[in-house]
Amino acid sequence: FANLHFAAAFTSLSFSSDGSGVARTSRSFVVSRTKQLLPGKTVIFRRNLLLSAAVNDDNEENSPQRAEEKSSSGSPSWLKEAMGTSYGDVGAPPIRIVSKLSPGISGFAVDPSLGFCAILAGNDNDNSQQRATYAVIAPTDTKRVSTPEALCLVQLAGGLDLGTGVLPPDALARLVITANDEVEKKDDESPVSVEELRKRISLVRVDVVPNEDGIAAVSKKEKDKQESSSADSSLSSPERNDKIIETAPKVHDAVKRLPGLTDVSLEDVISAMKLHTNEEGNVDRDAFAQILDTLRDLKNNIQPSLVKFQLTVNVVSDNSITQETIENVPPFMAVGLALRYQKAGAAVPLLIVSKESLDNGFDAEEILERFPAFRPFEELVEDA
């Protein structure tokens, strides 16, 4: 329980609640406090001491003396040091520039439409522009990191492998056994236990390849969106739009009281009203029901994945080593296992992004435009 509490506290400090991606604690504080830690009887003691130090440091930040330092310098010194950048004018957000991404798993981002995503970058050894793509891990985490899967990956990125229920220590062995169960076995083959297989397998690499079905689904979705927008433009008039904008806050208040729609935005309500109100922009009972259906579809709509994952595993037998390929591995499982088995300081990442999977991606220099709340892998490691 203490381990989970510590990891959750670390994770909550890694991503800001508003999705801005700004760290809430400084690297210098973590380093200095860690150096000052007295050796305790247990690991739990030392972790709890670190958490207490963090709380005390936050209280110091709110003290009058610290407030005076902030006003005189124009920005909190610990935040400058933590983000590795400086402020311009007082109150201006920190300037973040990312011109290059680490190949493989480059980091994570919380996106208001996609949810929690893993950012995957290609190699930049050649002279061409580095490209990147993404994989949706937790579509419901549109504002903050909260699902067990997202928390697990952020903890793994910081070096905290707690072997949680969503990614147990024997996850790779279970994945291999499940894949083998789907293949027709020979009569003389006997079943292998998970514990036995764990001792004989190792993860060689994780390949990211294009998901043709997902690419086609995304293209169709974009086409339908454009057709819907064209139809909306033909129906709308300035008077109708003014009526919708005037009525939208009342409809928004009514919608937010309904289960499952409490976090719907006003912009989404206005878009739905443009589709279903009458020519004057009024909302009757049938139009309101259609608006609710559209908002529920929007909330439950999961972006099709542009990429898919396949694992290559070494299996050691009595006399030989064989390689097995496991296809269509869920994104969370693939990224989590790549983080778990990645060797520190390895020259080549365990997760390899193919050039074909980057055709539908974006340039690495556009990462903060595409995902403003992006947190690079290196920042998460330093925070940890």
Side-chain angles (χ1 to χ4, degrees):
F1 174 79
N3 288 347
L4 289 173
H5 181 68
F6 172 80
F10 155 70
T11 304
S12 66
L13 295 171
S14 297
F15 287 86
S16 63
S17 61
D18 59 357
S20 63
V22 177
R24 291 193 181 278
T25 181
S26 69
R27 298 194 298 270
S28 61
F29 155 70
V30 175
V31 173
S32 62
R33 292 291 188 182
T34 304
K35 288 180 179 178
Q36 296 171 11
L37 283 180
L38 298 175
K41 295 181 179 180
T42 65
V43 174
I44 295 176
F45 170 83
R46 291 191 290 273
R47 287 177 174 175
N48 288 340
L49 183 58
L50 179 59
L51 284 176
S52 300
V55 174
N56 291 336
D57 189 78
D58 288 341
N59 292 336
E60 292 172 6
E61 285 295 329
N62 295 323
S63 66
Q65 180 180 355
R66 293 296 257 174
E68 184 177 353
E69 292 177 6
K70 292 179 185 180
S71 60
S72 62
S73 64
S75 62
S77 59
W78 64 265
L79 187 55
K80 280 186 181 180
E81 191 171 353
M83 296 307 298
T85 186
S86 60
Y87 285 80
D89 298 331
V90 177
I95 300 172
R96 303 180 66 208
I97 299 175
V98 179
S99 59
K100 181 180 177 181
L101 299 175
S102 300
I105 304 171
S106 302
F108 300 102
V110 173
D111 185 82
S113 59
L114 298 173
F116 180 79
C117 302
I119 306 302
L120 314 171
N123 208 325
D124 62 341
N125 289 338
D126 52 11
N127 295 325
S128 61
Q129 172 68 43
Q130 187 186 25
R131 301 275 293 173
T133 185
Y134 63 89
V136 178
I137 305 295
T140 58
D141 284 3
T142 55
K143 294 184 178 180
R144 60 185 62 86
V145 179
S146 59
T147 58
E149 292 81 5
L151 290 170
C152 178
L153 293 188
V154 175
Q155 291 160 8
L156 282 170
L160 295 171
D161 190 351
L162 304 179
T164 56
V166 291
L167 192 70
D170 57 3
L172 181 59
R174 292 183 180 276
L175 195 62
V176 173
I177 289 178
T178 302
N180 289 338
D181 288 342
E182 297 175 356
V183 180
E184 186 177 352
K185 293 183 177 181
K186 299 177 181 179
D187 295 336
D188 58 348
E189 287 185 353
S190 57
V192 181
S193 67
V194 173
E195 290 302 320
E196 180 184 354
L197 186 60
R198 283 185 65 187
K199 305 172 185 177
R200 300 194 287 111
I201 62 172
S202 60
L203 183 60
V204 178
R205 67 178 183 271
V206 179
D207 290 304
V208 181
V209 297
N211 180 13
E212 301 298 340
D213 293 338
I215 294 172
V218 170
S219 299
K220 183 179 183 302
K221 183 179 178 181
E222 289 296 327
K223 183 179 179 181
D224 293 343
K225 184 178 180 180
Q226 292 176 359
E227 292 177 353
S228 175
S229 177
S230 299
D232 172 52
S233 300
S234 62
L235 289 175
S236 290
S237 63
E239 294 78 11
R240 180 175 183 265
N241 289 336
D242 291 342
K243 181 65 176 181
I244 289 174
I245 293 175
E246 178 185 349
T247 313
K250 297 180 181 178
V251 177
H252 185 221
D253 290 339
V255 168
K256 288 196 300 182
R257 297 190 182 98
L258 301 176
L261 296 174
T262 55
D263 57 349
V264 169
S265 67
L266 179 61
E267 290 75 16
D268 291 337
V269 171
I270 292 175
S271 298
M273 290 178 66
K274 287 182 178 179
L275 292 175
H276 301 298
T277 55
N278 60 19
E279 295 180 357
E280 288 77 27
N282 295 320
V283 180
D284 56 19
R285 179 173 295 183
D286 292 337
F288 186 69
Q290 292 174 336
I291 290 172
L292 294 180
D293 290 340
T294 298
L295 293 174
R296 290 192 178 100
D297 289 342
L298 179 65
K299 183 175 177 59
N300 298 326
N301 187 23
I302 298 176
Q303 175 80 8
S305 179
L306 300 176
V307 297
K308 56 184 178 180
F309 300 84
Q310 60 185 35
L311 272 58
T312 302
V313 181
N314 274 349
V315 181
V316 179
S317 60
D318 295 334
N319 302 319
S320 63
I321 299 177
T322 59
Q323 282 195 348
E324 295 187 11
T325 300
I326 306 173
E327 298 181 347
N328 297 321
V329 179
F332 162 71
M333 187 70 66
V335 175
L337 291 174
L339 289 172
R340 170 174 287 172
Y341 290 98
Q342 178 69 53
K343 294 181 179 179
V348 180
L350 202 57
L351 186 142
I352 307 296
V353 185
S354 67
K355 290 185 178 180
E356 295 78 11
S357 63
L358 298 171
D359 291 342
N360 293 280
F362 51 89
D363 291 340
E365 294 180 349
E366 301 172 358
I367 179 64
L368 293 181
E369 297 177 12
R370 183 65 185 83
F371 295 97
F374 170 66
R375 291 295 308 279
F377 189 86
E378 294 79 8
E379 282 188 13
L380 298 175
V381 173
E382 290 168 353
D383 286 347

